[in-house]
Structures are given as C-alpha cells and as structure tokens.
Amino acid sequence: MNHVGELASAYLDGETTPKEASRLVAHLADCDACQREMADLHAARSVVRSLPVLELPESIRVDLGLSPDVVPFRSRPAAWVGTAAAAVMIFVAVATAAAPDSVGLTLVEVSAQYEQQALVDGGVSPVVGLVRAGGGE
Amino acid sequence: MTDGAPLSWEEVARTHGRKIYNFAYRLTGNPDDAKDLAQEVLIRVERGLANYTPGSFEGWLWRITRNAFLDDVRRKKRRPTTALPIDLDRTDLISTPPPDEVLASIRLGDDVQKALLGLPYDFREAVVLCDVVGLSYDEIAIAVAAPVGTVRSRIHRGRKMMREALT
Ligand SMILES: [Zn+2]
C-alpha cells in the first residue's frame, strides 16, 4: 500500500476498520517515514488533548438561573476526562529512539511532558499494537 | 448518554456546559467570547429540546453549538480568530497540581492555543471537536454537516498544521 496518510490520524483515534488498521500496522513495520509521521501526528494530537480543562464560569450559571444544587458545576468530576495510558509513553519513547534526528523531536518531547498530566484519553490503546509491530520489539 | 432519552435542560447544562465552554474557548482563544457563546448555546438548547427527535444527541448538540458560533462571528463581523488573553485565569483550572506544573502547563498551553488559532476555521473546528470535546468522527460529521471522509481529512491536515506550527 502507499504511505499511511490520513489513515494515520484515524488510527490514533480508533476510527479505522480492522482491515485498515492491519494494513497500516504492516506498512509501518517497513516504513521509517511513516513511523516518524505517526509520532508527529500523535504528538500534535496529544498536546491538544492535554490542554487544561476550563470550568464553566459561575456567572453563566447565575445568568441562566440554574440552581447551584441542581447544577454543581465545580464539584462534579468531569466524566469526559480520563488519564493517558502508559502505552502512549511507550509509543513516544519508541518513536523517539527510532528517529533520533527527526525534526519533530521537540514536539514529541513537549508531548511526553504533557502526558504526565494528560486530561483526555481515547483511541490510545491500539498504539500498543503499533509499537510492537513498528518497533520490531 | 443514551440517544433519544428524555432530557431536561438542566441535565444538558450540567453534563455538557463545561464541554461547550471549552469548545468555545479553544475556538476563540478568548474567555469573554467563550462565555457569551456558551451562554447563547445553552439558551438555544433550552429552546430546541422541545423539538429534539431521537438520534445522535451529540451531533445535534454540537451542530447547535457550531451554528451559534458561526452566527456570532457573522453578527459581530469579526474574524473567528481573536487575540489570546495575556493572563489565563488560573482559578479556572480544574485540578490543582503543584505551582511549577501549573505554570508550565499554562505556558505550553498558550503555545498550543496560538497554534490552534492559526488553523483555518474548518480544520480548527474538526481538531477541537475531536481532541477537546472528544466526539467520534460520525458525531463530528453530523455536527459540521460534512461527510465522515471530509472530517477524517480535516482532522489529519489540522494535526499536520499543528505539528508544523509547534516545531
Ligand atoms: Zn510509509
């Protein structure tokens, strides 16, 4: 197949079909360029997902006449917030080792830093398979 | 949330208000605009719930949100990209990690926010709906009224632009 292209982002989001995913993983095993591309895309995805989650301003609740008892914005944990899987760190480490001269390293490092406090998770677990296949471990 | 389940407006506000605000903030980079937009969206949701028909609730909600944003942009005749506030309100942060980490995350977050604001609107919207709001590609497609293939392409290209902006 050709280079992974758009499939790469979809894969990171868990939005590929099983067939697409296996084709992508097989290609990555033999293509350094796509491995680097994958690492860059993952880093770009991670930094946005790791942006701090902001609280809904109290003034909105007041302006809309919502009861603080019924709508306890501040006290509720965010159901949509998760933690980053260790798999992400493994992926970043492997990607970094595989491409020591990649121009994307700075971003990858920033991404790794962000993962320490990642706030949003999702579609991450397939990366474990990617690392094993792509990293030849 | 179960699609088609009876929803009260306060339930929607409680479960989705913060997400709507975060979407608005990341799209505009401006707390005042984000607040106005979130409030407008919640008002539209209150009006619209009576006519809500079972289907993709997320797609419905985010379509309302997106349309409110675009209407707001047109009404105020301003560009979607507005200036980044110099100071982030640190009390707005949910978690309270050690101060050094807070400062580091705000500094890095500023760079990421600026990069987002540099993206053309369609790409910024797709990236924010995917990576900030956490919608599936199908839900984003409904929200932005575009085919899933287009959504996939916008997210991918948006991330490539982010990567270039941050390198
Ligand atoms: Zn390739």
Side-chain angles (χ1 to χ4, degrees), chain B residues 17-141:
Chain B
R18 181 164 53 202
K19 277 195 274 190
I20 292 166
Y21 179 72
N22 276 266
F23 168 83
Y25 189 96
R26 297 309 172 193
L27 220 52
T28 63
N30 179 313
D32 292 331
D33 288 348
K35 187 188 145 188
D36 289 349
L37 177 60
Q39 195 152 337
E40 170 67 16
V41 168
L42 288 171
I43 289 168
R44 289 189 187 199
V45 167
E46 184 179 28
R47 290 192 202 124
L49 271 179
N51 297 320
Y52 171 71
T53 53
S56 168
F57 176 79
E58 295 285 341
W60 176 82
L61 175 68
W62 294 101
R63 195 159 188 171
I64 288 179
T65 302
R66 170 184 198 256
N67 288 340
F69 175 76
L70 293 176
D71 287 350
D72 191 52
V73 170
R74 280 191 286 265
R75 186 166 56 247
K76 293 183 178 174
K77 292 198 188 339
R78 68 174 177 225
R79 295 169 59 238
T81 302
T82 50
L84 193 69
I86 293 169
D87 295 314
L88 261 178
D89 182 359
R90 282 173 53 186
T91 63
D92 276 349
L93 294 170
I94 285 177
S95 56
T96 51
D100 285 353
E101 290 180 28
V102 172
L103 291 172
S105 78
I106 287 175
R107 195 163 54 243
L108 291 170
D110 279 354
D111 291 341
V112 176
Q113 179 70 65
K114 280 177 190 160
L116 271 176
L117 292 176
L119 264 52
Y121 175 75
D122 286 343
F123 300 94
R124 186 176 0 139
E125 174 184 69
V127 166
V128 170
L129 285 173
C130 181
D131 292 329
V132 174
V133 178
L135 297 188
S136 71
Y137 286 15
D138 284 340
E139 289 165 343
I140 296 171

Side-chain angles (χ1 to χ4, degrees), chain A residues 3-4 27 31 34:
Chain A
H3 292 303
V4 295
H27 177 85
C31 183
C34 282

Side-chain angles (χ1 to χ4, degrees), chain B residues 9-23:
Chain B
W9 177 62
E10 290 207 330
E11 180 75 9
V12 175
R14 179 158 53 81
T15 55
H16 289 77
R18 181 164 53 202
K19 277 195 274 190
I20 292 166
Y21 179 72
N22 276 266
F23 168 83

Side-chain angles (χ1 to χ4, degrees), chain A residues 5-7 9 13 15 20 37 40 44 49 52 54-55 59 63 66 70 73 76 78 80 103 114, chain B residues 9-10 13-14 18 22 25-26 35 39 92-93 108-109 130-132 137 152-153 156 159-160 163 167:
Chain A
E6 290 175 11
L7 220 48
S9 281
D13 294 326
E15 294 274 0
E20 286 174 327
E37 166 105 340
D40 287 344
R49 286 182 173 245
L54 307 170
E55 278 293 349
S59 55
D63 288 350
L66 293 167
V70 175
F73 289 118
R76 281 178 70 92
W80 57 303
V103 291
Y114 264 104
Chain B
W9 177 62
E10 290 207 330
R14 179 158 53 81
R18 181 164 53 202
N22 276 266
Y25 189 96
R26 297 309 172 193
K35 187 188 145 188
Q39 195 152 337
D92 276 349
L93 294 170
L108 291 170
C130 181
D131 292 329
V132 174
Y137 286 15
R152 180 188 270 204
S153 172
H156 182 68
R159 284 186 184 146
K160 290 184 76 145
R163 182 254 184 204
T167 299

